[in-house]
Amino acid sequence: MTTINDVARAAGVSPATVSRVFNGGRVTAERAERVRKTAAELGFSPNRVARSLRMQRASVIGLIIPDIENPFFTSLARGVEDAAQQTNLSVVLCNTDEDVDKERRYLEIAAAEQMAGVIVAAASRNRTDLSVLEGRGMPVVAVDRRPRGASVDAVMVDNQHGGEEATAHLLRSGYRRIACIAGPEGASTSDDRLAGYRAVMRDHLRETDGGALPPEYVRHADFRVEGGRSAMRDLLALPAPPDAVFVANNLMTVGALQALREAGTEPPRTGVLSFGDVPWASLVRPPLSTVQLPSYDLGWTAAGLLQERIAGTERPLQTVVLRTALQVRESTSGPGAQGGAARD
Amino acid sequence: MTTINDVARAAGVSPATVSRVFNGGRVTAERAERVRKTAAELGFSPNRVARSLRMQRASVIGLIIPDIENPFFTSLARGVEDAAQQTNLSVVLCNTDEDVDKERRYLEIAAAEQMAGVIVAAASRNRTDLSVLEGRGMPVVAVDRRPRGASVDAVMVDNQHGGEEATAHLLRSGYRRIACIAGPEGASTSDDRLAGYRAVMRDHLRETDGGALPPEYVRHADFRVEGGRSAMRDLLALPAPPDAVFVANNLMTVGALQALREAGTEPPRTGVLSFGDVPWASLVRPPLSTVQLPSYDLGWTAAGLLQERIAGTERPLQTVVLRTALQVRESTSGPGAQGGAARD
DNA sequence: CGTTCGCGTGAAATGGATTTCAAGGGATTT
DNA sequence: AAATCCCTTGAAATCCATTTCACGCGAACG
């Protein structure tokens, strides 16, 4: 491998000068040209490891996500990548598999590799511990979930608003007995969505004198396919089953749809509104309305904040909240569309 | 940050001894214990950057894939990751977006970061150039596609066999006019699958005196959703449209299904067999049979080969070919199942 | 004309771990 | 008792780019 010294010798200058040529130091034009030419001839590219060691910082940022197979996170990753490319930072992706231990290992690696910064979608709000990084003063941005007690910039989704939007849409479509399959209790991503659902339902019931929200209409599951499926089964087994359901994440929606199919009451007979885009939603028949998460923008924005920090800005900690967007996909929506026909 | 020197001073030994304690050198038990204790107290962990610089090799392997949003590659990534974890190598993922330039940048980064090795699913068989890595003697394993002219270990899928299996299954299910939506001409992953299709169809037609395979039954598309959709539309517009189609990758299958839905001839009226698992296939109604790609094992095997190379084995270059597995998912399969009923 | 300022330059220090080499000490062999 | 050997240990070299510091030269200024 050709080093900076080889280039220096060949060009008849000192290594310092070569370094300056590549890093914007002051060098006379004539020399700079000579160095560049020699470097090109020798196929020199600076050794990033040596540079990182000296600079105490690598030109790599870490992106730590809990589930690489969830399209939400891959789309987020694309956002980060595209934003990072603008400053010549490269992104390395680490998949924690929702495992706090695995996550800790990756956080340690990020620290030990002296990455320029880390964007982390925490595996757990309680148990994820960012102190390894904070202790070293490493720039960190949390996305989607902000670990408790962490003093970091964050980019979040307006989950409550999304929950409201989703529930309101189901009401508008004519459904009335609307249930909710929420995520794990205590997870803020789930609690906020649920709060949005509750708020809209409460208002609606008050206006229509509809009584109270049946407590059994709220189920907690684990954000996974299986959990959504069994929660939906439970709901369908109720004496007064719901005519629609707001599902708090995409994977559980897949499960809920499976349960509905088994029971033969698929949408639009039973309304389904998913929080988060269901992968390949176009394949689902009929098409499903969803609350779209701004996953790409989440990543893009987080990368932006991180780069500001890396550049050394001193602005106070910042939390950016991005809104969801309702995507209506039903051609003929509402319980009447098929339900009515079935009654004939 | 506490360094190896801090530990050495605190423990009253030389840095060399501390290094030996952590890297399996010979140190008397009593001293080793003291060093370990001091290191723990000081919270010392070796600086990976410095280590990489000295060792001329990082403890990281690069995994370069063309599309992080394709479940095939994410599953492959999981395989690599799980295998790598066993030797304390960490995996960094780079997404090339099927873009040869972006890929080249990542290859250069891998070289400059002195990664221990690279697993690459090439963006292009012709234009991907691994010489940056080969020049430095860096261990490389190709997965899924082997770039032309590269002297590297490889792990491939038995694409021809998969194509045969798929086509034979459609025949067994009772379909006769079977078309094929292949990938881009020249891509080996596509050509081999197509070859499998052709071989089985030729045999079948010969046996049944069915004449020649209509050339218009073979369409080439781009391995993407849109391509699959328009290819399927073209097929349906033929004077004698096929009654089944073998689609050469998962994304095009999604497109083909969309086109079939538009035309109202969804499976099983028109048979569909996808090469590669269709994501969330359980949502598709009715369930789809697929040729399962051993994506996870592809990754796992590649990581194994890579680790052998990293360890310095001298065995000759090796290509491992993994077989596909037909996954039958139809409950009532074949054109008669619904087609017959419709005729009544 | 002498001083100051600014700029370009190279020598050398720096970052932190690994590894070679030589030396020292204890045990074993002759 | 002397010679040999093996094992442990630390000093110092090494990996390579960046950056500080000091020097020297030419221009500008008093």
Side-chain angles (χ1 to χ4, degrees):
Chain A
M1 235 24 278
T2 90
T3 74
I4 200 173
N5 293 295
D6 302 332
V7 177
R9 207 171 314 119
V13 299
S14 77
T17 301
V18 178
S19 171
R20 282 189 269 257
V21 169
F22 285 96
N23 296 288
R26 314 197 59 94
V27 179
T28 51
E30 179 264 331
R31 269 159 181 259
E33 189 42 45
R34 197 166 75 229
V35 168
R36 250 187 282 276
K37 188 154 155 290
T38 325
E41 277 167 10
L42 270 56
F44 165 75
S45 77
N47 180 321
R48 285 172 167 243
V49 179
R51 161 183 271 163
S52 299
L53 177 61
R54 180 61 229 247
M55 308 246 283
Q56 303 280 51
R57 158 186 304 179
S59 48
V60 164
I61 66 181
L63 172 58
I64 301 186
I65 58 176
D67 182 4
I68 198 186
E69 303 202 30
N70 187 332
F72 169 69
F73 290 112
T74 55
S75 161
L76 188 155
R78 298 288 299 264
V80 170
E81 217 175 68
D82 289 352
Q85 207 119 80
Q86 304 195 315
T87 8
N88 272 326
L89 286 170
S90 30
V91 177
V92 306
L93 230 170
C94 311
N95 178 41
T96 64
D97 217 6
E98 306 270 10
D99 174 340
V100 183
D101 287 334
K102 222 164 150 185
E103 184 178 58
R104 190 169 28 71
R105 272 204 299 281
Y106 276 121
L107 290 170
E108 279 162 12
I109 288 174
E113 294 276 1
Q114 300 181 160
M115 294 183 180
V118 172
I119 295 174
V120 51
S124 153
R125 213 163 110 72
N126 303 314
R127 282 154 43 243
T128 288
D129 180 13
L130 299 181
S131 56
V132 202
L133 304 182
E134 295 184 83
R136 307 203 181 198
M138 180 174 290
V140 178
V141 175
V143 277
D144 193 40
R145 317 173 193 175
R146 190 217 324 269
R148 224 177 282 288
S151 308
V152 296
D153 289 317
V155 186
M156 312 288 285
V157 173
D158 191 339
N159 286 301
Q160 164 137 13
H161 171 78
E164 291 170 3
E165 238 182 354
T167 313
H169 179 72
L170 286 171
L171 283 171
R172 268 200 308 280
S173 303
Y175 299 103
R176 286 298 170 264
R177 301 193 315 282
I178 303 173
C180 176
I181 301 180
E185 222 154 348
S188 67
T189 43
S190 165
D191 289 348
D192 296 348
R193 290 165 202 181
L194 180 56
Y197 159 82
R198 280 194 200 280
V200 169
M201 288 304 284
R202 202 177 305 125
D203 284 359
H204 169 74
L205 292 171
R206 184 176 307 137
E207 280 167 24
T208 59
D209 287 328
L213 182 67
E216 66 272 22
Y217 269 22
V218 173
R219 300 275 156 178
H220 288 279
D222 62 355
F223 273 153
R224 299 185 166 269
V225 175
E226 237 352 279
R229 183 185 212 149
S230 69
M232 191 71 236
R233 283 202 189 117
D234 293 349
L235 285 171
L236 291 172
L238 289 176
D243 63 354
V245 61
F246 162 50
V247 193
N249 95 331
N250 54 358
L251 299 186
M252 293 196 303
T253 300
V254 172
L257 286 170
Q258 290 171 346
L260 286 172
R261 178 182 312 156
E262 290 163 10
T265 78
E266 295 168 82
R269 177 175 294 197
T270 300
V272 173
L273 213 151
S274 171
F275 198 104
D277 205 13
V278 176
W280 315 108
S282 61
L283 279 185
V284 180
R285 171 152 208 188
L288 220 55
S289 291
T290 55
V291 171
Q292 294 272 340
L293 289 171
S295 47
Y296 182 90
D297 308 271
L298 229 47
W300 176 278
T301 309
L305 290 179
L306 188 68
Q307 289 180 65
E308 285 181 39
R309 287 283 170 211
I310 292 174
T313 178
E314 287 296 333
R315 65 159 164 60
L317 287 181
Q318 182 172 338
T319 296
V320 179
V321 177
L322 301 181
R323 281 239 163 156
T324 57
L326 185 68
Q327 171 149 43
V328 178
R329 278 222 194 82
E330 295 120 19
S331 38
T332 56
S333 72
Q338 179 183 317
R343 257 176 247 122
D344 293 333
Chain B
M1 238 25 275
T2 90
T3 74
I4 201 173
N5 293 295
D6 302 333
V7 177
R9 206 171 316 120
V13 299
S14 76
T17 301
V18 178
S19 171
R20 282 190 270 256
V21 169
F22 284 95
N23 297 290
R26 317 199 58 95
V27 180
T28 52
E30 180 263 332
R31 266 158 183 263
E33 188 44 43
R34 197 165 77 227
V35 168
R36 251 187 282 276
K37 189 154 153 289
T38 325
E41 278 166 10
L42 271 54
F44 165 75
S45 77
N47 181 322
R48 286 173 166 242
V49 179
R51 159 182 273 163
S52 299
L53 176 60
R54 179 59 230 246
M55 308 245 286
Q56 303 280 59
R57 159 186 305 180
S59 49
V60 164
I61 65 181
L63 171 59
I64 301 184
I65 58 175
D67 181 5
I68 198 188
E69 304 202 33
N70 187 333
F72 169 70
F73 290 112
T74 56
S75 162
L76 187 153
R78 298 288 299 265
V80 171
E81 219 177 69
D82 289 352
Q85 208 118 79
Q86 303 196 314
T87 8
N88 271 326
L89 285 171
S90 30
V91 177
V92 307
L93 230 170
C94 310
N95 178 41
T96 64
D97 216 6
E98 305 271 11
D99 173 340
V100 182
D101 287 335
K102 223 166 149 184
E103 184 178 58
R104 189 167 29 71
R105 272 205 298 284
Y106 275 120
L107 290 170
E108 278 162 13
I109 288 174
E113 294 276 3
Q114 298 179 164
M115 293 183 180
V118 173
I119 296 173
V120 51
S124 155
R125 212 162 111 75
N126 302 315
R127 283 152 43 242
T128 288
D129 178 13
L130 298 181
S131 56
V132 202
L133 304 182
E134 295 184 84
R136 307 201 181 199
M138 182 174 290
V140 178
V141 176
V143 277
D144 193 40
R145 317 174 194 173
R146 191 217 323 270
R148 223 178 284 287
S151 308
V152 297
D153 289 318
V155 186
M156 313 287 286
V157 173
D158 192 340
N159 286 301
Q160 165 137 12
H161 171 78
E164 291 170 3
E165 236 183 353
T167 313
H169 179 72
L170 285 170
L171 284 171
R172 268 201 309 280
S173 302
Y175 299 103
R176 285 298 169 264
R177 301 193 313 282
I178 303 174
C180 176
I181 301 180
E185 221 154 348
S188 68
T189 44
S190 165
D191 289 347
D192 296 348
R193 291 165 201 180
L194 181 56
Y197 159 83
R198 280 193 200 281
V200 169
M201 287 304 285
R202 200 178 306 123
D203 284 1
H204 169 73
L205 291 171
R206 184 177 308 135
E207 280 168 23
T208 60
D209 286 328
L213 183 65
E216 66 273 21
Y217 269 20
V218 173
R219 301 274 156 177
H220 287 279
D222 61 356
F223 272 153
R224 298 185 168 268
V225 176
E226 236 354 277
R229 184 183 211 148
S230 68
M232 192 70 236
R233 283 203 190 115
D234 292 350
L235 285 170
L236 290 172
L238 289 175
D243 64 354
V245 60
F246 162 50
V247 192
N249 94 331
N250 54 0
L251 299 186
M252 294 197 300
T253 300
V254 172
L257 286 169
Q258 290 171 345
L260 286 172
R261 177 178 317 156
E262 290 163 11
T265 77
E266 295 169 80
R269 176 175 295 196
T270 301
V272 173
L273 213 150
S274 171
F275 197 104
D277 204 12
V278 176
W280 315 107
S282 61
L283 279 186
V284 181
R285 179 161 198 176
L288 220 57
S289 291
T290 54
V291 171
Q292 295 271 340
L293 290 170
S295 48
Y296 183 91
D297 308 271
L298 228 47
W300 175 278
T301 310
L305 290 180
L306 188 67
Q307 289 180 64
E308 283 180 41
R309 287 284 170 210
I310 292 174
T313 177
E314 289 295 333
R315 65 158 165 63
L317 286 181
Q318 184 172 336
T319 295
V320 179
V321 177
L322 301 181
R323 280 241 164 156
T324 57
L326 185 69
Q327 170 150 44
V328 178
R329 277 223 195 79
E330 295 120 19
S331 39
T332 56
S333 71
Q338 178 184 315
R343 256 177 246 122
D344 293 336

